[in-house]
Amino acid sequence: MADRVKEVAVEEAERLRNLTADAARSAAYLYPIRGIAYFLSHKSLWKPLTSKLAPTMTLGLGITTFMFVFTYIPQAAVMAFTSGPLAAITAALLVLSESSTLFTIFSKTFLIDDALVDTFDGVLLSKNTTDLVSEGRQVKAGGDPIAKLGKLVKSPLAKFTPKAMIRYVMYLPLNFIPVVGTVIFVLLQGKRAGPMAHTRYFQLKRWNKDQQQKHIEQYRGAYTGFGVAVVLLELIPLASIFFAFTNTVGAALWAADIEKQHITKEGTAPRLREQAKKAE
């Protein structure tokens, strides 16, 4: 039995090593950084954020204060047995992660979901992928990318699901393992966060679950690298609202690049080919 457990552990470690190597080679982890630069240099993209800034900042501050007041000391006490002198730092990182998760759940479910969709679609318009955006909403003529956004045709990004929260709680004990456990926790969270960032993209592509899964598996390392960068940035509660938007910009920039690669490989975009066939 012990040998079997050791074998499984070795296999999982090797799989994680390969996944990490693929993530590093893909350089997809740079898209959240590109998202920050692109967001700051395109003022029209600030509109969705500024419209939600006050309530989300209040929510983030409230959640973070509550978590540190009521959960930091108990968790630090437990960490003292597993992390030793690193207990204070590890517990703080854990509380930040918990605060960030709660903030993400509440803000994206009740406050900023539509604003993030507008940001994602606005970036796609700025990158000349109008045909893709028109699959999910009306597109107006003239104006900046955000001003062009019309009525939504399809419901936007996936809302919070209990399964995601259950998975998060299951992963939390990893943080009791000094340093390594926290790293694995972030990797596992990133593995989920990466594909979630492209939920709107998959919707606009009209992909079913099988098509989505095939695409995700093809770029599993890239999505994990992207997701880890997203998780690390959104660990900062008071700034996580800002990074939620810049990460969305980064996800849209990546989606636009994927679309350009598909067009380059196929010669003509699929939708344009369909329109040509109909014209014939």
Side-chain angles (χ1 to χ4, degrees):
M1 181 65 179
D3 291 339
R4 179 56 181 165
V5 171
K6 182 179 179 180
E7 181 183 345
V8 172
V10 171
E11 290 176 355
E12 284 299 306
E14 180 65 18
R15 188 176 67 83
L16 189 60
R17 186 185 71 81
N18 291 335
L19 184 64
T20 303
D22 288 342
R25 284 193 296 267
S26 72
Y29 55 85
L30 294 175
Y31 277 102
I33 307 302
R34 287 181 57 190
I36 296 172
Y38 196 87
F39 181 83
L40 292 176
S41 63
H42 292 74
K43 291 187 178 181
S44 64
L45 297 177
W46 300 1
K47 297 175 186 177
L49 169 60
T50 55
S51 67
K52 302 289 185 179
L53 194 57
T56 50
M57 287 294 289
T58 302
L59 176 65
L61 182 61
I63 289 175
T64 304
T65 301
F66 176 87
M67 292 297 291
F68 268 97
V69 169
F70 292 101
T71 70
Y72 174 73
I73 293 178
Q75 292 185 87
V78 174
M79 289 288 188
F81 293 99
T82 60
S83 302
L86 296 175
I89 297 175
T90 305
L93 290 174
L94 182 57
V95 173
L96 284 174
S97 175
E98 293 164 348
S99 301
S100 176
T101 298
L102 290 174
F103 171 74
T104 299
I105 290 171
F106 287 112
S107 63
K108 289 186 177 180
T109 301
F110 300 109
L111 295 177
I112 64 173
D113 186 51
D114 290 343
L116 291 177
V117 173
D118 288 347
T119 301
F120 191 94
D121 291 354
V123 173
L124 290 180
L125 288 180
S126 73
K127 301 300 288 186
N128 300 316
T129 53
T130 305
D131 285 341
L132 181 63
V133 176
S134 62
E135 293 290 342
R137 74 189 310 156
Q138 298 173 357
V139 178
K140 304 174 185 176
D144 60 61
I146 299 300
K148 290 181 180 179
L149 298 176
K151 184 179 179 181
L152 286 168
V153 177
K154 297 179 182 177
S155 299
L157 307 174
K159 302 282 187 178
F160 162 73
T161 60
K163 185 186 293 185
M165 189 62 179
I166 292 171
R167 188 182 292 110
Y168 175 82
V169 172
M170 289 175 60
Y171 292 159
L172 271 179
L174 287 170
N175 289 280
F176 290 103
I177 304 173
V179 184
V180 175
T182 301
V183 171
I184 295 175
F185 174 80
V186 171
L187 282 173
L188 290 173
Q189 287 294 99
K191 185 178 178 181
R192 183 191 67 84
M196 284 293 293
H198 267 175
T199 301
R200 177 62 173 171
Y201 175 55
F202 299 152
Q203 183 186 52
L204 294 175
K205 293 290 289 183
R206 297 186 179 183
W207 284 348
N208 58 36
K209 289 185 178 180
D210 289 338
Q211 290 172 309
Q212 293 178 33
Q213 194 58 38
K214 181 180 178 180
H215 173 81
I216 291 169
E217 288 302 323
Q218 183 180 356
Y219 296 98
R220 174 60 70 184
Y223 274 113
T224 300
F226 180 89
V228 167
V230 165
V231 169
L232 290 175
L233 287 173
E234 293 187 11
L235 273 177
I236 309 170
L238 295 182
S240 59
I241 173 61
F242 170 75
F243 290 126
F245 280 86
T246 61
N247 287 335
T248 298
V249 172
L253 290 174
W254 187 13
D257 286 346
I258 292 173
E259 284 299 290
K260 289 178 181 178
Q261 290 173 7
H262 286 173
I263 292 174
T264 301
K265 288 180 181 179
E266 298 177 12
T268 307
R271 189 176 179 212
L272 293 179
R273 288 203 305 272
E274 290 176 6
Q275 291 174 348
K277 288 180 180 178
K278 291 179 180 179
E280 292 174 359

